[in-house]
Amino acid sequence: MQIKSKFPAWKKKKRKFRIDKDGIKNKLNPVSQSSVATQNGQVNGVVRQNGGQEPKFLNVTAKEKKRIKRRKNKNKRPLLQTEKELLTSTVQMTNGVLKKIQKISLSEPSPPSTSSKPESPQKSPLPRPKTPTGPSPSTSTPVTSVASPSSTSQNRNILRHEPNFDKFDRPQLPIDVVEQQLMYELASHETLIIIGETGSGKSTQVPQLCVRAGLADSGSIAVTEPRRVAAVSLASRVAVEMGTDVGGIVGFHVRFENATTHKTKIEYMTDGIVLRKALISPLLENYSTVIIDEAHERSLHSDVLMCILKKCQEQRRKGKNPLRLIVMSATLQADKFQSYFDNAKVVLVSGRTFPIEVFHVNPKINKSFSSSDYVYNTVICVKHVHLNEPKGHDILVFLTGSEEIEAVAYQLAELNGSLPASADVIMPVPLYAALRPEKQKEAFKKTPQGARKVIISTNIAETSVTIPGVRVVIDSGKVKIKTFEASNRIDVLKVHNVSKAQAKQRAGRAGRDAPGKCYRLYSREDFQKFEIDNMPEILRCNLSATFLELMKLGMKNPHRLQLIDPPETENIDAALLELTSLGAIRPLNSDKSKFALTDMGDVFCMYPVSPDHARVLFHAQKEGCVMEAIKIISAMQTDALFSGGSDSKNDAEVERIRRKFETREGDHITLLKLVLTTNLFFDEKFCNDNMINEQHLKTASMIEEQLKQIAIEQEVPFSTCGNDFTKIRKSLAIGMFLNSCEYDRQEDRYRLMINPAITLKIHPSSCLSRSKPAYIVFSELMKTNDLYALQVTLIDVDWVRPLISEHKKMRTNHLAESAQRIQEITNSAPKRKKAKTE
DNA sequence: TGCATGAAG
């Protein structure tokens, strides 16, 4: 397997981008300006007073505290190193903020609020309840009677679990202004949509409001986040605010890590985890309320979740424990969510970021300007900013991929030679997900004196990480997006223009600590042509895994599915054909437009992998190579295990390492050998010497544990094939038979067996790219400059022939009959335990 | 011959 090379030697020789020393002023002119973020002056509009009605707080006894701690330690797995660091730094930071705020007292408004109205000098022992001074609800129901925590006996029950609540305070947030209104709306609506920009405080405050409104009486409050880091850090922040430990009243649950206990009332979770929970208990009875955070990101999981929760709400409305749903989004396109949720109530919350000046390129002045030269323009723009902006203001540049990023970093470093003596040094810092973790950390280090840090990043810096000290953003306006071509089952990775929302998000990264500037390497006219929002993930991915999960939940006809953005019919049919070919579903005899899960499909659902990978695991039982299949499939779930860039090693060295693990059978067996080796001896030095990404290797081994656990629950015996790799290759071929190819000597390309019109190449990173065997199966098909098969294994054509001919028949309207045959072909596999549900 | 945005279970 070839080692991932970030900036290979052959590229260095023909570098495309040159630096034009005089081009700075001509290329970019900050003529048009606008402000994307507005200062919020209403923040201090609320006078904090002691309402005189606060309930008596009962402290948790020492005994109880010990019990919580014991339970927590028992349940807790060790934290991942990065998450540990993140957790401690967040807590430290929050503590610091809290101390500072208490010192300066409430009379000093925190920036950037401009209100001169002073706070009540008398500090309330409790932040709440306040006298209702915010916007009152229009109805006659008195707010206090709804919102007062002491209004019911159950509320007191919840509140007794909040130890030392009054010890803490936090900076004022825009959401405080609408707190009373929110309390009222929470109590009176089943579904609520909250629109609030970054910094409004909705992610931390709304769940706490729910608890105070008594919603936690009948079950926990679930908060879904699209990212692990968000779930972990929000939980720790809210825990500090509520004066409890993570894992007490506030907890989080992400993959591999569950920091919740029976006491947990607010659970921050990744949306994928909630989806998994729904598969096991479809009505989600443990939760009284589900809050979908960052709904505007339109992640696949959150879209599916909204669809499921709508149904779940209908069901639970009949019972005694109705489900409350809160959808939180940053975009102002509330109407889409509103109409989806039957005209649900919308509450607007203002955001709070520092003002940002936005500059666009003016094409009238820059006649030679072309936005497609964005890499070249980036270098010029950095130089312009570096020579004109105050020293110490760091720059964040958005580009599309590692190759561009490394090229710009290289050129910026060279630029230092031609700078005036008075100028600071430019310190380029690349940042992208595939970068080694220690290299990634460079972006967060303090900039040394006499230097300006220029972080050159992919969209990882848009939402996933926040870099302190950034005052200037340079936005290329481009992003790499993977879309799915359903007709040919191909992933296409292409550079696209960003959306307006995304451009705004990027600009906002300059205003985290102080007022900032954003230079856009495209004209105002171009910007107007951009899409309003990002394309929802559900419209650009393979739907087979999602449909399998939804069928487990009882969906029969995917064409009738009520999603917020329904996928194209062609895409739906492709997923149904794929699932039927894999034997996971079959059309109903009574109604051919409806489908049912097969026994095998039911088993597939249990594994958190795609249906074809699940089928590999399933077939491995018949072949007697379950251990090997689990190892390979888990290694396939992570990104490239071989990585790290070629910066310190020459090409010969890369070749030498690559050969060490190479096998004649293909990349999957190579993966297996690597995993088996690292199982025996695995340390940092070994990973460094062999350019293996330690983090990814750890993830793979955690997935391996997870898959093993599921196999145990399914009562699958752990068979092993020893050195007989034929068995595992056969399992891979049968599981992923849709990806089998035949070599065409004339064309010197491979033809996809299910559709010979499609020809492709083996990706150069594969160990079979040179040997070109007659028949192969691959894990993934990716279209970049050409069509490439990734992760390839040598197969015997007889293994896949019957499956392929059935698949072809299915496409020509023999779906039902062929589905039956597929079942028969597969049913020779040993019987296994039926899944618990249904 | 020639290369991989970002999340998630």
Side-chain angles (χ1 to χ4, degrees), chain A residues 62-116:
Chain A
K63 209 174 160 189
E64 255 180 88
K65 273 184 186 162
K66 262 188 191 164
R67 210 171 52 218
I68 295 172
K69 210 165 187 176
R70 258 208 316 272
R71 249 192 106 80
K72 208 174 77 186
N73 291 340
K74 210 174 128 191
N75 290 347
K76 226 168 161 181
R77 276 164 172 260
L79 288 174
L80 298 177
Q81 189 55 36
T82 46
E83 283 167 355
K84 222 184 252 172
E85 280 164 17
L86 180 98
L87 207 63
T88 41
S89 70
T90 319
V91 174
Q92 276 165 3
M93 191 189 77
T94 323
N95 278 334
V97 170
L98 290 170
K99 274 178 205 152
K100 205 170 160 193
I101 294 299
Q102 277 184 335
K103 253 187 206 163
I104 60 173
S105 101
L106 284 165
S107 58
E108 206 172 294
S110 52
S113 42
T114 50
S115 167
S116 58

Side-chain angles (χ1 to χ4, degrees), chain A residues 400 459 477-481 494-498 502 506:
Chain A
T400 73
N459 33 348
K478 302 287 178 188
V479 63
K480 252 182 203 159
I481 299 176
K494 239 174 74 181
V495 173
H496 294 259
N497 286 329
V498 295
Q502 201 171 5
R506 287 181 173 187

Side-chain angles (χ1 to χ4, degrees), chain A residues 108 181 199 205 210 264 434 460 489 563 621 713 737 814:
Chain A
E108 206 172 294
Q181 191 200 345
Q205 301 311 306
C210 288
T264 306
I460 192 172
R489 293 184 72 250
L563 286 157
Q621 193 190 355
E713 283 160 21
F737 77 93
H814 295 92

Side-chain angles (χ1 to χ4, degrees), chain A residues 128 185 188 231 242 337 364 422 436 528 656 699 759 802:
Chain A
R128 286 153 197 78
E185 306 292 3
S188 46
M242 293 181 79
F337 292 115
K364 283 173 197 147
S422 60
R436 284 204 303 271
Q528 290 308 328
R656 193 185 64 79
T699 309
T759 70

Side-chain angles (χ1 to χ4, degrees), chain A residues 526-539:
Chain A
D526 286 341
F527 175 74
Q528 290 308 328
K529 287 177 207 149
F530 290 176
E531 296 289 333
I532 293 171
D533 273 311
N534 297 356
M535 187 190 248
E537 198 181 353
I538 201 158
L539 299 184

Side-chain angles (χ1 to χ4, degrees), chain A residues 36 198 356-358 374 378 396-401 404-405 457-463 470-481 495-512 516-522 527 530 534:
Chain A
V36 285
T198 319
I356 293 151
E357 276 185 284
V358 176
Y374 59 92
T378 300
L396 173 61
V397 179
F398 284 104
L399 285 171
T400 73
E404 282 169 12
I405 287 170
S457 170
T458 59
N459 33 348
I460 192 172
E462 251 170 46
T463 48
V470 170
R471 298 285 292 274
V472 180
V473 161
I474 297 173
D475 179 14
S476 64
K478 302 287 178 188
V479 63
K480 252 182 203 159
I481 299 176
V495 173
H496 294 259
N497 286 329
V498 295
S499 68
K500 284 178 180 149
Q502 201 171 5
K504 192 180 168 188
Q505 172 72 21
R506 287 181 173 187
R509 301 314 261 181
R512 301 291 293 191
K517 286 183 180 174
C518 173
Y519 294 84
R520 289 177 170 167
L521 301 177
Y522 43 93
F527 175 74
F530 290 176
N534 297 356

